[in-house]
Amino acid sequence: MKRFALTAMIAALPFAAHAEYTGPGAVLAAPATVVTAAAAARLADHAAVTLEGNVVNKLSKDKYTFRDASGEIRVEIDHKYLPAENFDATSRVRLSGKVDKEISGVEVDVKSVQILR
């Protein structure tokens, strides 16, 4: 019986919701103002950004298209940063992360996803 309980507990681990500390001294403190997708694309590499809009398309395992009124930008969201609640292209979200300029273009490496109500 103990073996079954332990197996069940281990099997449930990958599905646990992730939370993070967001108070004073957090490693990635979100900037006070929200920037547009177009403005984020023009910022320097590693600049901290917060975007508000919609994730409208999944491009690959962890790459998505984010859209707001100014346009679109590619975002990378690791599975561990996805919220526990499902969302779709109609869900308004707030993404916080940093600009990542690569040879293939500009994207935002997302470290926090919040569904807005």
Side-chain angles (χ1 to χ4, degrees):
M1 187 63 162
K2 288 183 183 180
R3 181 177 286 165
F4 175 75
L6 180 60
T7 303
M9 207 168 32
I10 291 171
L13 287 177
F15 302 106
H18 295 279
E20 63 185 67
Y21 177 73
T22 57
V27 174
L28 180 64
T33 59
V34 174
V35 298
T36 65
R42 293 188 305 267
L43 292 174
D45 195 25
H46 304 292
V49 295
T50 296
L51 304 166
E52 286 186 4
N54 304 83
V55 175
V56 295
N57 190 21
K58 183 171 184 170
L59 303 170
S60 66
K61 178 182 172 188
D62 58 359
K63 306 279 186 181
Y64 301 85
T65 303
F66 171 85
R67 180 183 298 149
D68 65 12
S70 73
E72 296 180 347
I73 191 167
R74 188 176 63 229
V75 295
E76 179 179 350
I77 309 172
D78 289 337
H79 183 267
K80 64 184 176 184
Y81 296 118
L82 289 172
E85 183 181 345
N86 290 336
F87 64 99
D88 61 21
T90 63
S91 305
R92 188 159 168 78
V93 295
R94 178 179 295 135
L95 307 178
S96 296
K98 65 178 180 118
V99 174
D100 189 12
K101 293 197 172 190
E102 302 175 338
I103 294 172
S104 61
V106 178
E107 69 181 27
V108 174
D109 185 14
V110 175
K111 301 297 183 193
S112 173
V113 178
Q114 180 183 6
I115 299 172
L116 301 175
R117 305 273 175 223

